[in-house]
Amino acid sequence: MLDLGSNKTGAAVIEAQSGTEALTKIRTSHGLPLLSSDSKLERAALEQATFMARSGDMDHTTRRGRDFASRVKDNGIDVAAAENIAHGRFTPGELFTAWMNSSGHRKNMLDPRFSKFGLASVEEANGSGRRYWALVLSE
């Protein structure tokens, strides 16, 4: 876990270790290859989590109109990709359980094309303990 400090938000964290642990359990239990953390995907996930924490808005499109496709392209990702987002007081285990119980999020995590991921969370600046989470997956 790498703490990246704050900027009009609470702590921003790359969650590579907890993401690897959770995704390994999920993927191996479904007979799928493991995913590895990737710095480009971590950067894209951190960008999205930071935007959501600053704006207080959980959405795949930023207020500047940058959608997911634009953000991943800007981060040098030019292959198939998907994004899961969440907001709340989740532990990583609770977060992945919630995503597995949601058909769209589950589909993203079980996509056999994907081999890499980036997971980041950013705490709300108001001290509520709630975090904005973004998981970006790609080939």
Side-chain angles (χ1 to χ4, degrees), residues 36-106:
S36 60
S37 62
D38 177 85
S39 61
K40 287 181 184 179
L41 299 179
E42 289 171 343
R43 191 169 41 253
L46 182 59
E47 179 182 307
Q48 182 59 15
T50 301
F51 159 74
M52 293 187 301
R54 285 181 182 161
S55 68
D57 185 21
M58 193 176 84
D59 196 335
H60 292 281
T61 302
T62 68
R63 289 200 176 128
R64 293 184 194 142
R66 291 185 66 220
D67 62 7
F68 175 68
S70 299
R71 286 186 290 104
V72 294
K73 184 177 179 183
D74 290 349
N75 279 291
I77 303 156
D78 58 359
V79 294
E83 178 178 68
N84 289 357
I85 58 175
H87 173 245
R89 285 192 191 99
F90 297 107
T91 65
E94 293 167 337
L95 173 70
F96 281 93
T97 296
W99 279 338
M100 282 301 287
N101 290 323
S102 164
S103 62
H105 296 107
R106 177 184 179 95

Side-chain angles (χ1 to χ4, degrees), residues 100-135:
M100 282 301 287
N101 290 323
S102 164
S103 62
H105 296 107
R106 177 184 179 95
K107 180 181 175 186
N108 289 343
M109 293 187 300
L110 297 179
D111 191 318
R113 296 175 299 168
F114 297 151
S115 61
K116 299 181 240 174
F117 80 94
L119 176 65
S121 69
V122 178
E123 192 173 321
E124 290 181 334
N126 63 11
S128 69
R130 289 187 301 262
R131 302 187 74 74
Y132 287 87
W133 296 84
L135 170 67

